């Protein structure tokens, strides 16, 4: 199936028990057991038909073999890092989401994991940061908030050559714009609260793997840790994903229009947007992305107060956050 068709008919698009074309919300904590050990569902933490529908859908959209839905993007990231142990080392991107850095810096380090921060666009720096204890390379592309773009296939090859995993947060692209698993990555993550949900009415995280055995390990941890997505949110997320292509086409067009407006504004000193031909990451973005994403960051001219821009703009809260971005060292991990 083509991508747009997968959005409607991918995963589980029909309830196998009733034939409903919208998988119902199964609000059940437990399921009746016909025979011991031979039942598809037992306890909703371990498996729920509504959650399974959205998990299979994201696996199809990312061209993966197994998908997993969590209560938040942070819960998804934490579960993935639970694959590893004290003493393990990781190479991470230098512009990861603040919540990811908080998890790493305030939690995972206390458990004995170590991290080296590099600009993952610099492939030599990535290689140099790998040690005998390194277990994975973790990055975002495009990054949050500076929209830096890393060559996914190149980093995946480095990881594969060194016998370690590659993990990419694909939130700022969605599978509509890029599919890292097709470029050799092992694990893809999403904060599904953004493009995938699309309606600002849920918080969710998703994980997809290409390798079935790796997926089984994450599935075990999902059940053991228990940070699962509830049935109501699972249903909302699957419903939202059906319109992803329509929404992304509008998002991409809007971002391009805003970029073309901002580049002619004398009060703006610098724009961070992968679709800018003058952006050093432009060629890499062209190579691996279907469109340039819909996020833009920019700097105001020196001396201007970004609060004035925010307070006088007719924007909803989240766009305001991005509009007032004044890049400085405080945004670096």
């Amino acid at each position: 199936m083509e991508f747009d068709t997968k959005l409607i008919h991918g995963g589980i698009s029909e309830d196998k028990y009733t034939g409903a074309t919208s998988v119902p919300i199964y609000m059940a904590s437990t399921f009746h057991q016909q025979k011991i050990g031979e039942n598809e569902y037992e306890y909703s933490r371990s498996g729920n038909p509504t959650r399974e529908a959205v998990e299979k859908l994201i696996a199809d959209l990312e061209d993966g073999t197994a998908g997993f839905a969590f209560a938040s993007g942070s819960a998804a990231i934490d579960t993935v890092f639970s694959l590893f142990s004290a003493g393990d080392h990781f190479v991470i991107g230098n512009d990861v989401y603040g919540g990811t850095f908080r998890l790493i810096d305030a939690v995972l380090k206390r458990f004995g994991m170590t991290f080296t921060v590099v600009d993952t666009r610099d492939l030599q720096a990535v290689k140099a940061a790998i040690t005998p204890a390194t277990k994975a390379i973790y990055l975002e592309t495009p990054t949050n908030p500076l929209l830096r773009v890393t060559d996914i296939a190149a980093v995946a090859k480095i990881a594969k050559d060194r016998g370690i995993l590659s993990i990419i947060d694909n939130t700022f692209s969605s599978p509509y714009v890029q599919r890292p698993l097709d470029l050799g990555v092992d694990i893809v993550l999403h904060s599904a609260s953004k493009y995938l949900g699309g309606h600002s009415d849920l918080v969710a995280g998703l994980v997809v793997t290409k390798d079935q055995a790796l997926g089984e390990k994450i599935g075990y941890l999902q059940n053991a840790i228990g940070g699962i997505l509830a049935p109501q949110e699972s249903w909302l997320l699957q419903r939202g994903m059906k319109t992803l292509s329509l929404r992304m086409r509008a998002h991409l067009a809007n971002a391009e229009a805003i970029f073309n407006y901002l580049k002619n504004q004398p009060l703006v000193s610098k724009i961070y947007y992968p679709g800018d031909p003058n952006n050093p990451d432009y060629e890499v973005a062209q190579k691996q992305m279907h469109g340039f994403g819909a996020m833009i960051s920019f700097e105001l001219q020196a001396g201007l107060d970004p609060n004035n821009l925010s307070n006088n703009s007719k924007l909803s809260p989240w766009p305001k956050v991005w509009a007032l971005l004044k890049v400085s060292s405080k945004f670096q991990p």
Side-chain angles (χ1 to χ4, degrees), residues 10-26:
I12 300 173
S13 59
E14 176 182 308
D15 182 46
K16 59 186 173 182
Y17 305 108
T18 66
T21 55
S22 174
V23 176
I25 303 172
Y26 285 92

Side-chain angles (χ1 to χ4, degrees), residues 9-64:
H9 298 292
I12 300 173
S13 59
E14 176 182 308
D15 182 46
K16 59 186 173 182
Y17 305 108
T18 66
T21 55
S22 174
V23 176
I25 303 172
Y26 285 92
M27 298 294 289
S29 60
T30 55
F31 300 84
H32 183 73
Q33 306 299 295
Q34 301 294 336
K35 293 183 179 180
I36 296 176
E38 296 183 11
N39 302 279
E40 187 172 0
Y41 304 103
E42 298 175 354
Y43 187 55
S44 268
R45 171 167 48 79
S46 306
N48 177 281
T50 316
R51 190 175 83 237
E52 183 185 16
V54 78
E55 291 176 330
K56 289 188 177 298
L57 178 56
I58 190 59
D60 278 355
L61 297 181
E62 284 283 10
D63 293 334

Side-chain angles (χ1 to χ4, degrees), residues 105-184:
D105 194 51
V107 180
L108 300 180
K109 284 184 177 179
R110 291 193 291 108
F111 296 156
M113 297 179 183
T114 60
F115 301 85
T116 298
V117 177
V118 301
D119 184 342
T120 53
R121 297 173 299 176
D122 184 344
L123 301 180
Q124 294 306 313
V126 172
K127 292 177 182 177
I130 296 173
T131 74
T134 304
K135 300 299 181 183
I137 303 170
Y138 181 98
L139 66 142
E140 300 170 10
T141 182
T143 63
N144 177 356
L146 299 183
L147 289 308
R148 295 168 177 165
V149 178
T150 293
D151 188 326
I152 296 173
V155 169
K157 184 178 186 305
I158 291 172
K160 196 171 297 294
D161 289 345
R162 302 297 182 93
I164 61 178
L165 295 177
S166 51
I167 306 166
I168 286 189
D169 185 331
N170 199 32
T171 298
F172 265 24
S173 289
S174 87
Y176 179 86
V177 172
Q178 70 184 12
R179 289 183 279 280
L181 295 182
D182 291 343
L183 299 173

